[in-house]
Amino acid sequence: MKRVVITGMGAVTPVGCNVDTFWESLKNGKSGIDYISKFDTSEYRVKVAAEIRDFDPTPYMEKAEVRRSDKFVQYAVAAASMAVADSGIENNVAPERFGVYYGSGIGGFDTFIAEHNNMINRGPLRVSPLFIPKMIANMGAGNIAIKFGAKGPCISVSTACATGTTAIGEAFRAIKGGYADAIIAGGVEASINEMAVAAFMNCMALSESEDPKTASIPFDKRRGGFVMGEGAGALIVEEYEHAKARGAKIYAEVVGYGSTCDAFHVTAPDDSAESSGRAISDCLKETGRTFDAEKVYINAHGTSTPLNDKTETRAIKNAFGEDAYKVHVSSTKSMTGHLLGAAGAVEGIAAILALNENIIPPTIGYAEADEECDLDYTPNTAKKTEVDLAMSTSLGFGGHNACVAFAKI
């Protein structure tokens, strides 16, 4: 089996539209959560979200391409472009050995709403002929492949909020098995709109706090729901010898991946954490190594919902046993909100940077301990400490669980 490394990263997030700004924000506990500006919330119980307010797609796409694409595609292409540029992979890999594993939990939701309104208000002849290619969830992957001439495997992963992590893990498996030399992997979401917020609000998933500072408070006893976010993350997952031969910068080695399903409920996690814990255990087992628990960091899914956070705490305990209390844990969703299909990709980048710099980003807003969430969640302030293994975990509607692990090389 081949070794697999990360050689490039790109991010579009509510706390920065490039990797450097994103990481500086996380280390400094800067939140991207604020009052919703995209639509009138006067009839909504939910008032806050983690919007992207300073994004310009034109450095990454022609203006005509921007007009023909949904916002989720624009975010995806931007993140992928940053990752490709960072890695220097373009023109340094055979097109047929260059793949894309990139997903979205929802796809072009803004386009769906706009064209539905056209249909209702103006009739069927006014529905755009671009409706389908703008909306369908595989268009992030498809547009990335077209832009970079990636003619190898191209797969659009959709495992709800585990999408980004699943994409990285499956890309790792594909390269480990020899099916590609390099893959652009990650996830994207752009669904802060009237319909999506109403839907998540009415299924009681969203925080109804009107204070942006206390809306997303993972693992805190006061937590009451997640905060909608948007953005994209992309990573260049590459075969080690291929990367070494071209003199690539290597951020980390991908050493493990676990993927399971609760097979329990369409939205609620199985609070026994049997399957979610097994995703972490399987990931650890695949590393083939032993790590000091005090040098392990987990970027937790940590959504700030009552069920997720206690279940994820139990999953970590199921995987690590008593060593769970030594592991460093944090949820960067306290700053970015929940980026849905993009979450795992963006949080994978955070885990890699934590590994590189030996810094644990904090869980901000943490004030009141919960007896069912009793691990070290790195409250409020980043911590400088040696990290040998960084893991990113994700849980998604439908019972999807995924975990990916990175180590220094």
Side-chain angles (χ1 to χ4, degrees), residues 168-182:
I168 296 166
E170 294 299 328
F172 161 63
R173 290 247 175 104
I175 293 174
K176 187 176 180 181
Y179 298 103
D181 292 328

Side-chain angles (χ1 to χ4, degrees), residues 328-397:
H328 303 281
V329 181
S330 72
S331 173
T332 48
K333 286 185 180 71
S334 59
M335 294 168 275
T336 67
H338 190 353
L339 276 58
L340 307 178
V346 168
E347 291 159 13
I349 291 169
I352 290 166
L353 293 171
L355 178 75
N356 277 205
E357 295 192 13
N358 293 305
I359 292 176
I360 311 299
T363 304
I364 70 167
Y366 186 91
E368 188 173 342
D370 182 340
E371 57 273 13
E372 293 189 279
C373 300
D374 58 349
L375 301 180
D376 177 4
Y377 304 113
T378 321
N380 300 311
T381 305
K383 183 176 182 179
K384 183 75 174 176
T385 187
E386 188 173 351
V387 181
D388 288 341
L389 182 73
M391 308 179 79
S392 176
T393 59
S394 296
L395 290 73
F397 279 8

Side-chain angles (χ1 to χ4, degrees), residues 198-219:
F200 278 114
M201 175 182 75
N202 289 340
C203 76
M204 309 303 289
L206 295 183
S207 170
E208 297 182 10
S209 170
E210 296 192 24
D211 179 0
K213 294 181 179 179
T214 59
S216 183
I217 47 173
F219 304 108

Side-chain angles (χ1 to χ4, degrees), residues 35 47 67 69 76 114 120 123 125 149 202 232 269 271 282 297 329 337 346 407:
Y35 297 103
K47 305 296 183 183
R67 288 193 299 271
S69 63
I120 297 301
L125 297 182
N202 289 340
D271 65 4
D282 288 351
Y297 166 54
V329 181
V346 168

Side-chain angles (χ1 to χ4, degrees), residues 92-110:
N92 283 301
V93 60
E96 67 275 12
R97 300 286 297 171
F98 193 19
V100 179
Y101 278 44
Y102 207 91
S104 173
I106 299 174
F109 210 150
D110 284 353

Side-chain angles (χ1 to χ4, degrees), residues 245-405:
R246 67 181 187 88
K249 167 180 60 183
I250 294 174
Y251 285 99
E253 182 172 4
V254 190
V255 292
Y257 170 52
S259 176
T260 65
C261 186
D262 287 351
F264 174 73
H265 190 271
V266 292
T267 58
D270 178 0
D271 65 4
S272 76
E274 184 274 322
S275 289
S276 51
R278 184 161 48 83
I280 301 172
S281 297
D282 288 351
C283 183
L284 284 167
K285 184 178 180 180
E286 187 169 22
T287 71
R289 311 180 192 182
T290 300
F291 293 92
D292 181 347
E294 294 181 354
K295 297 179 181 179
V296 174
Y297 166 54
I298 299 175
N299 187 296
H301 194 55
T303 58
S304 188
T305 61
L307 273 176
N308 176 94
D309 295 4
K310 72 174 184 178
T311 301
E312 191 168 13
T313 296
R314 190 168 291 144
I316 294 169
K317 292 177 180 178
N318 287 349
F320 283 89
E322 285 300 312
D323 280 347
Y325 292 97
K326 301 177 184 177
V327 171
H328 303 281
V329 181
S330 72
S331 173
T332 48
K333 286 185 180 71
S334 59
M335 294 168 275
T336 67
H338 190 353
L339 276 58
L340 307 178
V346 168
E347 291 159 13
I349 291 169
I352 290 166
L353 293 171
L355 178 75
N356 277 205
E357 295 192 13
N358 293 305
I359 292 176
I360 311 299
T363 304
I364 70 167
Y366 186 91
E368 188 173 342
D370 182 340
E371 57 273 13
E372 293 189 279
C373 300
D374 58 349
L375 301 180
D376 177 4
Y377 304 113
T378 321
N380 300 311
T381 305
K383 183 176 182 179
K384 183 75 174 176
T385 187
E386 188 173 351
V387 181
D388 288 341
L389 182 73
M391 308 179 79
S392 176
T393 59
S394 296
L395 290 73
F397 279 8
H400 299 287
N401 307 300
C403 180
V404 65

